[in-house]
Amino acid sequence: MEIMTVEEFCYKIYKHTFAHVLHSGIYAAHVIIWMKKNPFNENELEDAFHKFVWDTPLSNMDLSVIEDSSIEDGIIVLDAIESFGDGESMPERVPFHGDMQKIRYK
């Protein structure tokens, strides 16, 4: 099974995140994902994600990838979206609904 390109990978994350942001009304700073092993170089993925979200409603959003060996290979688990913090309180954290959490990328 062939892995998708980094751009296709970013698109899958973006489209689910954008829908979640619209539904929750949060001003997103980060999307947090979990996966067994990042299939891309960390800098390559970060750069591709920033290029992908540039000039979109999520242009200020960063991607945080957490690796966990217990996650099925080829699956992205969308954990949560975090808002921008104000320095006095913790950022709001809005988890993805269980039905929307898993995305296959292989």
Side-chain angles (χ1 to χ4, degrees):
M1 190 176 290
E2 190 174 311
I3 189 164
M4 59 184 58
T5 67
V6 70
E7 291 81 12
E8 293 167 326
F9 188 86
C10 291
Y11 174 70
K12 284 198 175 258
I13 296 167
Y14 175 83
K15 75 177 184 176
H16 286 81
T17 302
F18 185 69
H20 193 50
V21 166
L22 286 177
H23 178 72
S24 68
I26 191 172
Y27 187 56
H30 284 90
V31 60
I32 303 158
I33 66 169
W34 292 65
M35 56 196 326
K36 184 171 195 150
K37 176 141 178 51
N38 186 345
F40 305 103
N41 170 289
E42 187 176 329
N43 291 332
E44 174 189 22
L45 179 56
E46 185 177 316
D47 289 347
F49 189 77
H50 284 132
K51 285 178 187 172
F52 195 87
V53 299
W54 180 255
D55 206 24
T56 74
L58 303 181
S59 62
N60 292 322
M61 188 172 63
D62 288 322
L63 174 67
S64 297
V65 178
I66 301 169
E67 293 182 352
D68 182 342
S69 62
S70 69
I71 295 173
E72 180 184 343
D73 193 33
I75 297 289
I76 303 167
V77 177
L78 299 169
D79 181 29
I81 297 171
E82 287 186 349
S83 67
F84 287 93
D86 62 8
E88 294 182 18
S89 60
M90 295 296 290
E92 183 180 0
R93 187 173 196 279
V94 181
F96 282 85
H97 186 271
D99 292 343
M100 291 181 59
Q101 274 191 317
K102 293 185 179 180
I103 302 172
R104 182 159 298 281
Y105 66 89
K106 282 187 179 179

